Amino acid sequence: MDFNTKILHGRSTENYAFNATLPPIAQVTAFGYKSAEEQEKVFHHKAFGFAYTRIGNPTVSAFENRIAELEGAPSAVATSSGMSAVVMSMLNVLQSGDEIVAAAGLYGGTLDLFKDLEKFGIHTHFAKRLTPEYIEPLLNEHTRIVFGEVISNPGLFVLDIPKLSEYVHGKGLPLIVDATTATPYLISPLSLGADIVVHSSSKYINGGGNSISGIIVDGAKFNWDPERYPAMKDFEKYGRMAYSIRLRTDTWENFGTCVSPFNAYMNIVGLETLGLRMERICYNARQIARSLSEIDGIYDVNHPTLETSEAHELAETELHGYGGGILTLRAGSREKAFHILNHLKYCTIASNIGDIRTLVIHPWSTLYMHSSPEAAADAGVYDDTIRVSVGIEDPADLADDFAQAIKAE
């Protein structure tokens, strides 16, 4: 099955109660059992079942199964937010003294997260670009993870996943990628060599801007050497599923980063139109980027489909000609950027991305308020940058809206 058919008719959509087309919302805290013996088996993972929603819930499981099938993975674990997905994906295998190599041009919130990990003895080295040439000098005997965004937000750099994964695997390291901005519709990172994929499913997967959540997808191909990753020692017996089983029964469960059943349900509802929405969003983003490139008073418009973009070649090959739904532009000054934002009629000033509505933000004063000017520049953010998360509105209306806001007195 192709993507849109699989969303609606894949194996993960079968066997809902009463032959319903969507799973019921199990909005409960705990699940009752007829005997203590039966409950004991579930708690010890010797029988299938649900005991407590923090450690498992049928609605959440239905969402996890849908994402796992789309990503071509045996397992996925849903989390309370995209940020919790990022941190749990790494804390599942890290301990104090370990180090991470990450792209410098990450989302501002993720950069803040890495600063917090320093307090727990986990250090991050930032590579200007996540390529073998930039990574090589940063590796040492303490390196345990290489992490990057498939399409960086908002720098719009695109990872060459096959080249990067081959290199890091040669060093005995896993590649964890955040594919939020790319979505399973544009790319299948696991098939290209990534080991773990995370999403902030609050964004494009949900699509309606109504539920905070995240998800971690394990390709189950990386060999987690317990000598290098001591946290995996007790799970070595599970082979390639060691990562997923430790995550579900230990790290994720004990940190309590579960997603609510209602949010999981809303994500399933949104997921069913992901392909259709991404077609329209990517088309709109490409059209708006080209339109803005021709307007006087705006410069350095960036979208991966533009030939001036550093990511253009990878957008054509790895992303199949799509560039995602985010673009950035520079207005010339902070004041001009604010002026444009304040005069837009159809675009909402908001910090989310992936909504059906077009959202705009001044990332310098918000998302990167804790970053140095140098760190912000590495992420493609300056004091005159505007980030645009393009929605599904009619592209001509969006183009006209930007044109009038730029020209407004």
Side-chain angles (χ1 to χ4, degrees), residues 73-278:
S75 176
V77 175
T79 65
S80 55
S81 67
M83 197 56 63
S84 68
V86 172
V87 70
M88 288 297 104
S89 73
M90 293 186 284
L91 290 185
N92 197 45
V93 295
L94 296 181
Q95 61 183 11
S96 181
D98 288 344
E99 297 185 1
I100 303 164
V101 172
L106 296 173
Y107 163 64
T110 307
L111 295 176
D112 291 343
L113 165 65
F114 285 129
K115 291 177 185 176
D116 287 333
L117 289 180
E118 296 280 350
K119 300 166 187 170
F120 296 92
I122 299 171
H123 181 65
T124 303
H125 298 281
F126 293 102
K128 184 176 178 62
R129 296 286 183 272
L130 214 56
T131 64
E133 297 76 19
Y134 283 104
I135 293 174
E136 182 72 36
L138 305 178
L139 299 177
N140 59 52
E141 68 273 19
H142 303 294
T143 308
R144 295 293 180 269
I145 285 173
V146 176
F147 175 86
E149 295 170 340
V150 176
I151 307 175
S152 65
N153 168 26
L156 303 179
F157 309 114
V158 176
L159 288 185
D160 187 336
I161 296 176
K163 181 179 180 180
L164 180 60
S165 62
E166 181 179 9
Y167 172 78
V168 300
H169 290 160
K171 302 293 183 180
L173 298 169
L175 175 62
I176 300 179
V177 299
D178 184 333
T180 298
T181 50
T183 79
Y185 183 70
L186 299 191
I187 193 170
S188 176
L190 296 177
S191 69
L192 298 178
D195 299 293
I196 308 293
V197 177
V198 300
H199 293 275
S200 175
S201 46
S202 320
K203 310 299 191 295
Y204 294 96
I205 287 173
N206 173 272
N210 55 52
S211 304
I212 297 292
S213 57
I215 195 156
I216 304 168
V217 188
D218 176 21
K221 294 180 180 179
F222 189 77
N223 181 25
W224 300 96
D225 178 5
E227 295 300 317
R228 197 171 199 178
Y229 301 92
M232 305 300 287
K233 188 173 183 180
D234 292 341
F235 297 84
E236 186 178 11
K237 61 185 177 183
Y238 298 109
R240 296 303 174 105
M241 291 300 295
Y243 179 95
S244 285
I245 293 175
R246 179 172 193 242
L247 179 65
R248 184 172 293 281
T249 64
D250 192 344
T251 313
W252 167 84
E253 177 180 321
N254 293 339
F255 274 87
T257 60
C258 57
V259 64
S260 78
F262 182 78
N263 284 6
Y265 176 82
M266 294 304 294
N267 285 344
I268 293 172
V269 172
L271 179 65
E272 293 191 334
T273 60
L274 176 62
L276 300 180
R277 286 185 285 106
M278 289 307 294

Side-chain angles (χ1 to χ4, degrees), residues 30-95:
F31 301 82
Y33 286 87
K34 295 180 180 180
S35 72
E37 290 82 2
E38 186 181 3
Q39 186 185 50
E40 179 186 38
K41 288 179 182 179
V42 172
F43 263 83
H44 286 263
H45 307 291
K46 293 181 179 179
F48 177 78
F50 300 97
Y52 189 64
T53 284
R54 175 170 59 82
I55 58 178
N57 177 283
T59 313
V60 175
S61 180
F63 172 55
E64 293 169 339
N65 291 339
R66 288 232 184 166
I67 295 295
E69 183 172 15
L70 287 180
E71 293 281 13
S75 176
V77 175
T79 65
S80 55
S81 67
M83 197 56 63
S84 68
V86 172
V87 70
M88 288 297 104
S89 73
M90 293 186 284
L91 290 185
N92 197 45
V93 295
L94 296 181
Q95 61 183 11

Side-chain angles (χ1 to χ4, degrees), residues 311-387:
H312 177 70
E313 184 176 343
L314 283 171
E316 290 298 311
T317 56
E318 198 168 89
L319 300 178
H320 311 293
Y322 295 103
I326 296 174
L327 62 91
T328 62
L329 58 105
R330 296 186 63 182
S333 70
R334 172 192 170 104
E335 292 72 25
K336 181 65 174 178
F338 274 47
H339 179 86
I340 293 171
L341 290 170
N342 293 340
H343 283 83
L344 288 166
K345 298 177 180 178
Y346 303 140
C347 304
T348 303
I349 301 174
S351 60
N352 194 24
I353 61 170
D355 202 313
I356 55 173
R357 302 157 189 80
T358 296
L359 309 177
V360 292
I361 196 169
H362 182 251
W364 177 274
S365 61
T366 55
L367 307 175
Y368 289 83
M369 62 183 180
H370 298 135
S371 298
S372 68
E374 293 76 19
D378 284 338
V381 174
Y382 304 90
D383 68 352
D384 64 341
T385 299
I386 295 173
R387 185 190 73 180

